[in-house]
Amino acid sequence: MPVHPSSSSEPSSSFLTDVSRFLGAFRWAFMPLGLLALVAVGVHAAADTLDDRLLTAVDRLDSAFDGWVGQFPALASMVDWVSLETRTRLARGLALAWELAADLLLALPALGYRETEAARPVEPWRPVTASASEASSWKALLRRCLRRPTPMRWVRPLATAGVVLAGACTVARLVQGTVYLSWRPLFGDVASDWAARGLAVAALLGVSVSLGWRAVLRNLQHADAACEAVGSRRAWTRGLLGCLMVAPLGLAAAWDAAPVLSFLR
């Protein structure tokens, strides 16, 4: 009696696995958009902290102008030329222009982020990106930053690190406020507060791990490529104006707009 081989069918994947694979096929689209959104949120949070400082600077310039024109009788009528409302609008306009310029410098490079599969098996904890070749890996980029330092190679990634931290804190604060206000009628103040803080810390870590370091890496790659394209002589002045523009925003984002310890108090 002939023995027929038993046909073994492969186990079918679960519904969640199929959905994960389907969504994973669109990482090329939503990963760059996620990086762009995170940087834009962080830049906006940093710009909000600079509104008052810009208004103070405008007020001091107006005071100096009033003191100068007040010395001449013919120009005394120009003392009240710039009102408080005009100074406020001017400060807000400067903050908006500064924010949009920083978005162009820091957020747009994120659209060039790409991912590919590994050419050889690697450790599961080691992410593989299209730009993680030998020439554009973290190790190679940092080596060039140390051996051929330029303002663009150092200022742009550090400013990006500050704004992505501020963006992650903004998302965490949103999670904390939403959870606390929605859970407070059900579980009380203490339980809602602890749950909101825990979920906020989880959101902060999740956004930083999934998107934050990628945004820093992408800006480091963009700065390195721009410096390499112009040669070693012009690399020092490459993007210098942009560095002067984003450096204060990066400092404001890290110092004022990223209250990391507030989630633990």
PDB file of all heavy atoms in Angstrom, residues 209-248:
ATOM      1  N   VAL A 209      13.539  57.367  21.703  1.00  0.00           N
ATOM      2  CA  VAL A 209      14.192  56.172  21.177  1.00  0.00           C
ATOM      3  C   VAL A 209      13.783  55.892  19.738  1.00  0.00           C
ATOM      4  O   VAL A 209      14.610  55.502  18.902  1.00  0.00           O
ATOM      5  CB  VAL A 209      13.883  54.964  22.088  1.00  0.00           C
ATOM      6  CG1 VAL A 209      14.357  53.668  21.448  1.00  0.00           C
ATOM      7  CG2 VAL A 209      14.541  55.148  23.441  1.00  0.00           C
ATOM      8  N   SER A 210      12.515  56.104  19.420  1.00  0.00           N
ATOM      9  CA  SER A 210      12.027  55.760  18.090  1.00  0.00           C
ATOM     10  C   SER A 210      12.316  56.837  17.045  1.00  0.00           C
ATOM     11  O   SER A 210      12.574  56.514  15.880  1.00  0.00           O
ATOM     12  CB  SER A 210      10.522  55.496  18.143  1.00  0.00           C
ATOM     13  OG  SER A 210       9.824  56.656  18.577  1.00  0.00           O
ATOM     14  N   LEU A 211      12.292  58.106  17.439  1.00  0.00           N
ATOM     15  CA  LEU A 211      12.442  59.187  16.462  1.00  0.00           C
ATOM     16  C   LEU A 211      13.601  60.131  16.764  1.00  0.00           C
ATOM     17  O   LEU A 211      14.231  60.641  15.839  1.00  0.00           O
ATOM     18  CB  LEU A 211      11.145  60.006  16.388  1.00  0.00           C
ATOM     19  CG  LEU A 211       9.891  59.283  15.906  1.00  0.00           C
ATOM     20  CD1 LEU A 211       8.690  60.208  16.011  1.00  0.00           C
ATOM     21  CD2 LEU A 211      10.065  58.787  14.484  1.00  0.00           C
ATOM     22  N   GLY A 212      13.859  60.396  18.045  1.00  0.00           N
ATOM     23  CA  GLY A 212      14.809  61.446  18.398  1.00  0.00           C
ATOM     24  C   GLY A 212      16.200  61.229  17.841  1.00  0.00           C
ATOM     25  O   GLY A 212      16.770  62.109  17.181  1.00  0.00           O
ATOM     26  N   TRP A 213      16.776  60.063  18.085  1.00  0.00           N
ATOM     27  CA  TRP A 213      18.150  59.829  17.649  1.00  0.00           C
ATOM     28  C   TRP A 213      18.249  59.789  16.130  1.00  0.00           C
ATOM     29  O   TRP A 213      19.288  60.162  15.558  1.00  0.00           O
ATOM     30  CB  TRP A 213      18.692  58.533  18.246  1.00  0.00           C
ATOM     31  CG  TRP A 213      18.088  57.286  17.692  1.00  0.00           C
ATOM     32  CD1 TRP A 213      17.004  56.617  18.161  1.00  0.00           C
ATOM     33  CD2 TRP A 213      18.545  56.550  16.551  1.00  0.00           C
ATOM     34  NE1 TRP A 213      16.745  55.504  17.388  1.00  0.00           N
ATOM     35  CE2 TRP A 213      17.680  55.449  16.388  1.00  0.00           C
ATOM     36  CE3 TRP A 213      19.594  56.727  15.651  1.00  0.00           C
ATOM     37  CZ2 TRP A 213      17.827  54.524  15.363  1.00  0.00           C
ATOM     38  CZ3 TRP A 213      19.745  55.793  14.622  1.00  0.00           C
ATOM     39  CH2 TRP A 213      18.873  54.707  14.494  1.00  0.00           C
ATOM     40  N   ARG A 214      17.172  59.373  15.461  1.00  0.00           N
ATOM     41  CA  ARG A 214      17.181  59.357  14.000  1.00  0.00           C
ATOM     42  C   ARG A 214      17.241  60.776  13.428  1.00  0.00           C
ATOM     43  O   ARG A 214      17.901  61.016  12.406  1.00  0.00           O
ATOM     44  CB  ARG A 214      15.949  58.630  13.480  1.00  0.00           C
ATOM     45  CG  ARG A 214      15.986  57.112  13.657  1.00  0.00           C
ATOM     46  CD  ARG A 214      14.735  56.470  13.082  1.00  0.00           C
ATOM     47  NE  ARG A 214      14.868  55.028  13.003  1.00  0.00           N
ATOM     48  CZ  ARG A 214      14.485  54.183  13.954  1.00  0.00           C
ATOM     49  NH1 ARG A 214      13.962  54.667  15.089  1.00  0.00           N
ATOM     50  NH2 ARG A 214      14.638  52.872  13.796  1.00  0.00           N
ATOM     51  N   ALA A 215      16.532  61.704  14.061  1.00  0.00           N
ATOM     52  CA  ALA A 215      16.580  63.091  13.602  1.00  0.00           C
ATOM     53  C   ALA A 215      17.977  63.677  13.778  1.00  0.00           C
ATOM     54  O   ALA A 215      18.479  64.405  12.901  1.00  0.00           O
ATOM     55  CB  ALA A 215      15.556  63.929  14.368  1.00  0.00           C
ATOM     56  N   VAL A 216      18.633  63.365  14.908  1.00  0.00           N
ATOM     57  CA  VAL A 216      19.997  63.845  15.126  1.00  0.00           C
ATOM     58  C   VAL A 216      20.946  63.238  14.105  1.00  0.00           C
ATOM     59  O   VAL A 216      21.802  63.935  13.522  1.00  0.00           O
ATOM     60  CB  VAL A 216      20.451  63.527  16.562  1.00  0.00           C
ATOM     61  CG1 VAL A 216      21.894  63.961  16.782  1.00  0.00           C
ATOM     62  CG2 VAL A 216      19.538  64.212  17.572  1.00  0.00           C
ATOM     63  N   LEU A 217      20.815  61.943  13.856  1.00  0.00           N
ATOM     64  CA  LEU A 217      21.673  61.276  12.882  1.00  0.00           C
ATOM     65  C   LEU A 217      21.485  61.857  11.490  1.00  0.00           C
ATOM     66  O   LEU A 217      22.454  62.093  10.760  1.00  0.00           O
ATOM     67  CB  LEU A 217      21.384  59.777  12.879  1.00  0.00           C
ATOM     68  CG  LEU A 217      22.105  58.953  11.805  1.00  0.00           C
ATOM     69  CD1 LEU A 217      23.614  59.027  12.007  1.00  0.00           C
ATOM     70  CD2 LEU A 217      21.620  57.511  11.816  1.00  0.00           C
ATOM     71  N   ARG A 218      20.240  62.113  11.117  1.00  0.00           N
ATOM     72  CA  ARG A 218      19.982  62.631   9.776  1.00  0.00           C
ATOM     73  C   ARG A 218      20.579  64.027   9.594  1.00  0.00           C
ATOM     74  O   ARG A 218      21.152  64.336   8.539  1.00  0.00           O
ATOM     75  CB  ARG A 218      18.464  62.665   9.531  1.00  0.00           C
ATOM     76  CG  ARG A 218      18.080  63.213   8.185  1.00  0.00           C
ATOM     77  CD  ARG A 218      18.662  62.376   7.059  1.00  0.00           C
ATOM     78  NE  ARG A 218      18.606  63.094   5.795  1.00  0.00           N
ATOM     79  CZ  ARG A 218      19.606  63.189   4.940  1.00  0.00           C
ATOM     80  NH1 ARG A 218      20.749  62.603   5.204  1.00  0.00           N
ATOM     81  NH2 ARG A 218      19.460  63.854   3.815  1.00  0.00           N
ATOM     82  N   ASN A 219      20.484  64.886  10.609  1.00  0.00           N
ATOM     83  CA  ASN A 219      21.087  66.206  10.495  1.00  0.00           C
ATOM     84  C   ASN A 219      22.608  66.139  10.503  1.00  0.00           C
ATOM     85  O   ASN A 219      23.265  66.943   9.832  1.00  0.00           O
ATOM     86  CB  ASN A 219      20.596  67.100  11.639  1.00  0.00           C
ATOM     87  CG  ASN A 219      19.344  67.849  11.289  1.00  0.00           C
ATOM     88  OD1 ASN A 219      19.387  68.920  10.694  1.00  0.00           O
ATOM     89  ND2 ASN A 219      18.195  67.290  11.647  1.00  0.00           N
ATOM     90  N   LEU A 220      23.153  65.197  11.238  1.00  0.00           N
ATOM     91  CA  LEU A 220      24.604  64.999  11.212  1.00  0.00           C
ATOM     92  C   LEU A 220      25.063  64.543   9.836  1.00  0.00           C
ATOM     93  O   LEU A 220      26.086  65.013   9.315  1.00  0.00           O
ATOM     94  CB  LEU A 220      25.010  63.990  12.283  1.00  0.00           C
ATOM     95  CG  LEU A 220      26.500  63.656  12.388  1.00  0.00           C
ATOM     96  CD1 LEU A 220      27.317  64.917  12.642  1.00  0.00           C
ATOM     97  CD2 LEU A 220      26.744  62.630  13.483  1.00  0.00           C
ATOM     98  N   GLN A 221      24.325  63.639   9.214  1.00  0.00           N
ATOM     99  CA  GLN A 221      24.657  63.195   7.866  1.00  0.00           C
ATOM    100  C   GLN A 221      24.545  64.330   6.857  1.00  0.00           C
ATOM    101  O   GLN A 221      25.395  64.484   5.972  1.00  0.00           O
ATOM    102  CB  GLN A 221      23.736  62.044   7.464  1.00  0.00           C
ATOM    103  CG  GLN A 221      23.951  60.781   8.253  1.00  0.00           C
ATOM    104  CD  GLN A 221      22.831  59.779   8.055  1.00  0.00           C
ATOM    105  OE1 GLN A 221      21.801  60.110   7.439  1.00  0.00           O
ATOM    106  NE2 GLN A 221      22.997  58.591   8.574  1.00  0.00           N
ATOM    107  N   HIS A 222      23.480  65.130   6.999  1.00  0.00           N
ATOM    108  CA  HIS A 222      23.281  66.249   6.077  1.00  0.00           C
ATOM    109  C   HIS A 222      24.401  67.270   6.225  1.00  0.00           C
ATOM    110  O   HIS A 222      24.940  67.779   5.220  1.00  0.00           O
ATOM    111  CB  HIS A 222      21.926  66.896   6.351  1.00  0.00           C
ATOM    112  CG  HIS A 222      21.622  68.041   5.444  1.00  0.00           C
ATOM    113  ND1 HIS A 222      21.893  69.347   5.791  1.00  0.00           N
ATOM    114  CD2 HIS A 222      21.072  68.085   4.207  1.00  0.00           C
ATOM    115  CE1 HIS A 222      21.525  70.145   4.806  1.00  0.00           C
ATOM    116  NE2 HIS A 222      21.030  69.414   3.835  1.00  0.00           N
ATOM    117  N   ALA A 223      24.788  67.597   7.452  1.00  0.00           N
ATOM    118  CA  ALA A 223      25.871  68.552   7.673  1.00  0.00           C
ATOM    119  C   ALA A 223      27.197  68.016   7.165  1.00  0.00           C
ATOM    120  O   ALA A 223      27.995  68.752   6.559  1.00  0.00           O
ATOM    121  CB  ALA A 223      25.962  68.892   9.160  1.00  0.00           C
ATOM    122  N   ASP A 224      27.453  66.730   7.381  1.00  0.00           N
ATOM    123  CA  ASP A 224      28.703  66.131   6.926  1.00  0.00           C
ATOM    124  C   ASP A 224      28.781  66.121   5.406  1.00  0.00           C
ATOM    125  O   ASP A 224      29.826  66.437   4.832  1.00  0.00           O
ATOM    126  CB  ASP A 224      28.819  64.711   7.477  1.00  0.00           C
ATOM    127  CG  ASP A 224      30.101  64.034   7.051  1.00  0.00           C
ATOM    128  OD1 ASP A 224      31.165  64.362   7.608  1.00  0.00           O
ATOM    129  OD2 ASP A 224      30.051  63.177   6.141  1.00  0.00           O
ATOM    130  N   ALA A 225      27.672  65.782   4.741  1.00  0.00           N
ATOM    131  CA  ALA A 225      27.673  65.777   3.281  1.00  0.00           C
ATOM    132  C   ALA A 225      27.865  67.177   2.716  1.00  0.00           C
ATOM    133  O   ALA A 225      28.563  67.365   1.706  1.00  0.00           O
ATOM    134  CB  ALA A 225      26.364  65.175   2.769  1.00  0.00           C
ATOM    135  N   ALA A 226      27.249  68.170   3.352  1.00  0.00           N
ATOM    136  CA  ALA A 226      27.406  69.547   2.872  1.00  0.00           C
ATOM    137  C   ALA A 226      28.841  70.028   3.031  1.00  0.00           C
ATOM    138  O   ALA A 226      29.369  70.726   2.158  1.00  0.00           O
ATOM    139  CB  ALA A 226      26.450  70.469   3.635  1.00  0.00           C
ATOM    140  N   CYS A 227      29.489  69.666   4.128  1.00  0.00           N
ATOM    141  CA  CYS A 227      30.876  70.075   4.337  1.00  0.00           C
ATOM    142  C   CYS A 227      31.823  69.337   3.397  1.00  0.00           C
ATOM    143  O   CYS A 227      32.803  69.920   2.904  1.00  0.00           O
ATOM    144  CB  CYS A 227      31.280  69.838   5.791  1.00  0.00           C
ATOM    145  SG  CYS A 227      30.440  70.909   6.981  1.00  0.00           S
ATOM    146  N   GLU A 228      31.556  68.068   3.151  1.00  0.00           N
ATOM    147  CA  GLU A 228      32.405  67.304   2.245  1.00  0.00           C
ATOM    148  C   GLU A 228      32.280  67.785   0.810  1.00  0.00           C
ATOM    149  O   GLU A 228      33.229  67.686   0.024  1.00  0.00           O
ATOM    150  CB  GLU A 228      32.061  65.818   2.322  1.00  0.00           C
ATOM    151  CG  GLU A 228      32.461  65.144   3.619  1.00  0.00           C
ATOM    152  CD  GLU A 228      33.962  65.055   3.785  1.00  0.00           C
ATOM    153  OE1 GLU A 228      34.655  64.834   2.777  1.00  0.00           O
ATOM    154  OE2 GLU A 228      34.445  65.232   4.908  1.00  0.00           O
ATOM    155  N   ALA A 229      31.117  68.334   0.446  1.00  0.00           N
ATOM    156  CA  ALA A 229      30.889  68.745  -0.936  1.00  0.00           C
ATOM    157  C   ALA A 229      31.670  69.997  -1.318  1.00  0.00           C
ATOM    158  O   ALA A 229      32.009  70.189  -2.488  1.00  0.00           O
ATOM    159  CB  ALA A 229      29.399  68.980  -1.178  1.00  0.00           C
ATOM    160  N   VAL A 230      31.973  70.860  -0.357  1.00  0.00           N
ATOM    161  CA  VAL A 230      32.651  72.122  -0.664  1.00  0.00           C
ATOM    162  C   VAL A 230      34.146  72.056  -0.423  1.00  0.00           C
ATOM    163  O   VAL A 230      34.860  73.017  -0.731  1.00  0.00           O
ATOM    164  CB  VAL A 230      32.041  73.273   0.173  1.00  0.00           C
ATOM    165  CG1 VAL A 230      30.583  73.450  -0.172  1.00  0.00           C
ATOM    166  CG2 VAL A 230      32.203  73.016   1.663  1.00  0.00           C
ATOM    167  N   GLY A 231      34.648  70.981   0.139  1.00  0.00           N
ATOM    168  CA  GLY A 231      36.070  70.873   0.396  1.00  0.00           C
ATOM    169  C   GLY A 231      36.458  71.404   1.764  1.00  0.00           C
ATOM    170  O   GLY A 231      35.674  72.064   2.453  1.00  0.00           O
ATOM    171  N   SER A 232      37.687  71.119   2.152  1.00  0.00           N
ATOM    172  CA  SER A 232      38.134  71.461   3.498  1.00  0.00           C
ATOM    173  C   SER A 232      38.335  72.959   3.692  1.00  0.00           C
ATOM    174  O   SER A 232      38.221  73.466   4.811  1.00  0.00           O
ATOM    175  CB  SER A 232      39.451  70.732   3.797  1.00  0.00           C
ATOM    176  OG  SER A 232      40.437  71.074   2.834  1.00  0.00           O
ATOM    177  N   ARG A 233      38.630  73.711   2.638  1.00  0.00           N
ATOM    178  CA  ARG A 233      38.881  75.139   2.784  1.00  0.00           C
ATOM    179  C   ARG A 233      37.602  75.918   3.075  1.00  0.00           C
ATOM    180  O   ARG A 233      37.598  76.817   3.908  1.00  0.00           O
ATOM    181  CB  ARG A 233      39.550  75.673   1.519  1.00  0.00           C
ATOM    182  CG  ARG A 233      40.960  75.149   1.300  1.00  0.00           C
ATOM    183  CD  ARG A 233      41.593  75.800   0.084  1.00  0.00           C
ATOM    184  NE  ARG A 233      42.972  75.338  -0.119  1.00  0.00           N
ATOM    185  CZ  ARG A 233      43.759  75.756  -1.108  1.00  0.00           C
ATOM    186  NH1 ARG A 233      43.314  76.657  -1.981  1.00  0.00           N
ATOM    187  NH2 ARG A 233      44.982  75.288  -1.219  1.00  0.00           N
ATOM    188  N   ARG A 234      36.519  75.580   2.391  1.00  0.00           N
ATOM    189  CA  ARG A 234      35.268  76.306   2.559  1.00  0.00           C
ATOM    190  C   ARG A 234      34.329  75.644   3.549  1.00  0.00           C
ATOM    191  O   ARG A 234      33.249  76.157   3.805  1.00  0.00           O
ATOM    192  CB  ARG A 234      34.561  76.440   1.208  1.00  0.00           C
ATOM    193  CG  ARG A 234      35.329  77.239   0.168  1.00  0.00           C
ATOM    194  CD  ARG A 234      34.594  77.255  -1.140  1.00  0.00           C
ATOM    195  NE  ARG A 234      33.230  77.762  -0.970  1.00  0.00           N
ATOM    196  CZ  ARG A 234      32.296  77.695  -1.920  1.00  0.00           C
ATOM    197  NH1 ARG A 234      32.583  77.123  -3.094  1.00  0.00           N
ATOM    198  NH2 ARG A 234      31.098  78.171  -1.705  1.00  0.00           N
ATOM    199  N   ALA A 235      34.724  74.515   4.109  1.00  0.00           N
ATOM    200  CA  ALA A 235      33.834  73.790   5.014  1.00  0.00           C
ATOM    201  C   ALA A 235      33.599  74.568   6.306  1.00  0.00           C
ATOM    202  O   ALA A 235      32.530  74.445   6.917  1.00  0.00           O
ATOM    203  CB  ALA A 235      34.401  72.404   5.325  1.00  0.00           C
ATOM    204  N   TRP A 236      34.579  75.374   6.743  1.00  0.00           N
ATOM    205  CA  TRP A 236      34.429  76.090   8.003  1.00  0.00           C
ATOM    206  C   TRP A 236      33.344  77.157   7.916  1.00  0.00           C
ATOM    207  O   TRP A 236      32.657  77.416   8.904  1.00  0.00           O
ATOM    208  CB  TRP A 236      35.761  76.708   8.402  1.00  0.00           C
ATOM    209  CG  TRP A 236      35.715  77.399   9.722  1.00  0.00           C
ATOM    210  CD1 TRP A 236      35.565  78.733   9.954  1.00  0.00           C
ATOM    211  CD2 TRP A 236      35.768  76.780  11.006  1.00  0.00           C
ATOM    212  NE1 TRP A 236      35.529  78.993  11.297  1.00  0.00           N
ATOM    213  CE2 TRP A 236      35.659  77.810  11.969  1.00  0.00           C
ATOM    214  CE3 TRP A 236      35.909  75.461  11.438  1.00  0.00           C
ATOM    215  CZ2 TRP A 236      35.682  77.552  13.334  1.00  0.00           C
ATOM    216  CZ3 TRP A 236      35.941  75.215  12.796  1.00  0.00           C
ATOM    217  CH2 TRP A 236      35.828  76.248  13.732  1.00  0.00           C
ATOM    218  N   THR A 237      33.192  77.784   6.763  1.00  0.00           N
ATOM    219  CA  THR A 237      32.169  78.821   6.593  1.00  0.00           C
ATOM    220  C   THR A 237      30.875  78.280   6.008  1.00  0.00           C
ATOM    221  O   THR A 237      29.924  79.041   5.849  1.00  0.00           O
ATOM    222  CB  THR A 237      32.699  79.929   5.679  1.00  0.00           C
ATOM    223  OG1 THR A 237      33.071  79.377   4.405  1.00  0.00           O
ATOM    224  CG2 THR A 237      33.911  80.606   6.314  1.00  0.00           C
ATOM    225  N   ARG A 238      30.829  77.012   5.694  1.00  0.00           N
ATOM    226  CA  ARG A 238      29.625  76.411   5.121  1.00  0.00           C
ATOM    227  C   ARG A 238      28.515  76.392   6.166  1.00  0.00           C
ATOM    228  O   ARG A 238      28.658  75.827   7.250  1.00  0.00           O
ATOM    229  CB  ARG A 238      29.921  74.992   4.648  1.00  0.00           C
ATOM    230  CG  ARG A 238      28.717  74.207   4.172  1.00  0.00           C
ATOM    231  CD  ARG A 238      28.183  74.763   2.871  1.00  0.00           C
ATOM    232  NE  ARG A 238      27.140  73.904   2.326  1.00  0.00           N
ATOM    233  CZ  ARG A 238      26.440  74.192   1.233  1.00  0.00           C
ATOM    234  NH1 ARG A 238      26.701  75.307   0.561  1.00  0.00           N
ATOM    235  NH2 ARG A 238      25.509  73.369   0.806  1.00  0.00           N
ATOM    236  N   GLY A 239      27.369  77.017   5.857  1.00  0.00           N
ATOM    237  CA  GLY A 239      26.230  77.020   6.769  1.00  0.00           C
ATOM    238  C   GLY A 239      26.462  77.781   8.046  1.00  0.00           C
ATOM    239  O   GLY A 239      25.766  77.524   9.039  1.00  0.00           O
ATOM    240  N   LEU A 240      27.404  78.737   8.055  1.00  0.00           N
ATOM    241  CA  LEU A 240      27.716  79.455   9.288  1.00  0.00           C
ATOM    242  C   LEU A 240      26.547  80.325   9.742  1.00  0.00           C
ATOM    243  O   LEU A 240      26.242  80.403  10.944  1.00  0.00           O
ATOM    244  CB  LEU A 240      28.967  80.308   9.093  1.00  0.00           C
ATOM    245  CG  LEU A 240      29.514  81.029  10.328  1.00  0.00           C
ATOM    246  CD1 LEU A 240      29.858  80.023  11.414  1.00  0.00           C
ATOM    247  CD2 LEU A 240      30.732  81.862   9.965  1.00  0.00           C
ATOM    248  N   LEU A 241      25.881  80.982   8.800  1.00  0.00           N
ATOM    249  CA  LEU A 241      24.739  81.822   9.160  1.00  0.00           C
ATOM    250  C   LEU A 241      23.609  80.983   9.753  1.00  0.00           C
ATOM    251  O   LEU A 241      22.974  81.379  10.736  1.00  0.00           O
ATOM    252  CB  LEU A 241      24.245  82.582   7.928  1.00  0.00           C
ATOM    253  CG  LEU A 241      23.054  83.521   8.141  1.00  0.00           C
ATOM    254  CD1 LEU A 241      23.391  84.601   9.168  1.00  0.00           C
ATOM    255  CD2 LEU A 241      22.630  84.155   6.818  1.00  0.00           C
ATOM    256  N   GLY A 242      23.368  79.815   9.175  1.00  0.00           N
ATOM    257  CA  GLY A 242      22.344  78.935   9.721  1.00  0.00           C
ATOM    258  C   GLY A 242      22.692  78.429  11.101  1.00  0.00           C
ATOM    259  O   GLY A 242      21.816  78.282  11.964  1.00  0.00           O
ATOM    260  N   CYS A 243      23.976  78.178  11.335  1.00  0.00           N
ATOM    261  CA  CYS A 243      24.397  77.742  12.669  1.00  0.00           C
ATOM    262  C   CYS A 243      24.158  78.830  13.705  1.00  0.00           C
ATOM    263  O   CYS A 243      23.721  78.552  14.827  1.00  0.00           O
ATOM    264  CB  CYS A 243      25.868  77.348  12.643  1.00  0.00           C
ATOM    265  SG  CYS A 243      26.228  75.860  11.673  1.00  0.00           S
ATOM    266  N   LEU A 244      24.461  80.083  13.338  1.00  0.00           N
ATOM    267  CA  LEU A 244      24.209  81.188  14.253  1.00  0.00           C
ATOM    268  C   LEU A 244      22.718  81.366  14.521  1.00  0.00           C
ATOM    269  O   LEU A 244      22.324  81.872  15.584  1.00  0.00           O
ATOM    270  CB  LEU A 244      24.786  82.480  13.680  1.00  0.00           C
ATOM    271  CG  LEU A 244      26.315  82.528  13.543  1.00  0.00           C
ATOM    272  CD1 LEU A 244      26.733  83.820  12.865  1.00  0.00           C
ATOM    273  CD2 LEU A 244      26.985  82.384  14.899  1.00  0.00           C
ATOM    274  N   MET A 245      21.891  80.924  13.593  1.00  0.00           N
ATOM    275  CA  MET A 245      20.450  81.073  13.758  1.00  0.00           C
ATOM    276  C   MET A 245      19.845  79.974  14.632  1.00  0.00           C
ATOM    277  O   MET A 245      18.955  80.223  15.446  1.00  0.00           O
ATOM    278  CB  MET A 245      19.770  81.081  12.387  1.00  0.00           C
ATOM    279  CG  MET A 245      18.297  81.404  12.404  1.00  0.00           C
ATOM    280  SD  MET A 245      17.639  81.518  10.732  1.00  0.00           S
ATOM    281  CE  MET A 245      18.611  82.889  10.095  1.00  0.00           C
ATOM    282  N   VAL A 246      20.333  78.738  14.486  1.00  0.00           N
ATOM    283  CA  VAL A 246      19.726  77.619  15.211  1.00  0.00           C
ATOM    284  C   VAL A 246      20.369  77.368  16.563  1.00  0.00           C
ATOM    285  O   VAL A 246      19.770  76.702  17.410  1.00  0.00           O
ATOM    286  CB  VAL A 246      19.781  76.334  14.361  1.00  0.00           C
ATOM    287  CG1 VAL A 246      19.040  76.510  13.061  1.00  0.00           C
ATOM    288  CG2 VAL A 246      21.226  75.899  14.109  1.00  0.00           C
ATOM    289  N   ALA A 247      21.572  77.892  16.786  1.00  0.00           N
ATOM    290  CA  ALA A 247      22.243  77.646  18.069  1.00  0.00           C
ATOM    291  C   ALA A 247      21.458  78.215  19.250  1.00  0.00           C
ATOM    292  O   ALA A 247      21.260  77.515  20.254  1.00  0.00           O
ATOM    293  CB  ALA A 247      23.660  78.207  18.032  1.00  0.00           C
ATOM    294  N   PRO A 248      20.969  79.470  19.212  1.00  0.00           N
ATOM    295  CA  PRO A 248      20.166  79.950  20.348  1.00  0.00           C
ATOM    296  C   PRO A 248      18.874  79.163  20.547  1.00  0.00           C
ATOM    297  O   PRO A 248      18.454  78.942  21.692  1.00  0.00           O
ATOM    298  CB  PRO A 248      19.877  81.414  19.980  1.00  0.00           C
ATOM    299  CG  PRO A 248      20.943  81.778  19.019  1.00  0.00           C
ATOM    300  CD  PRO A 248      21.217  80.548  18.241  1.00  0.00           C
TER     301      PRO A 248
END
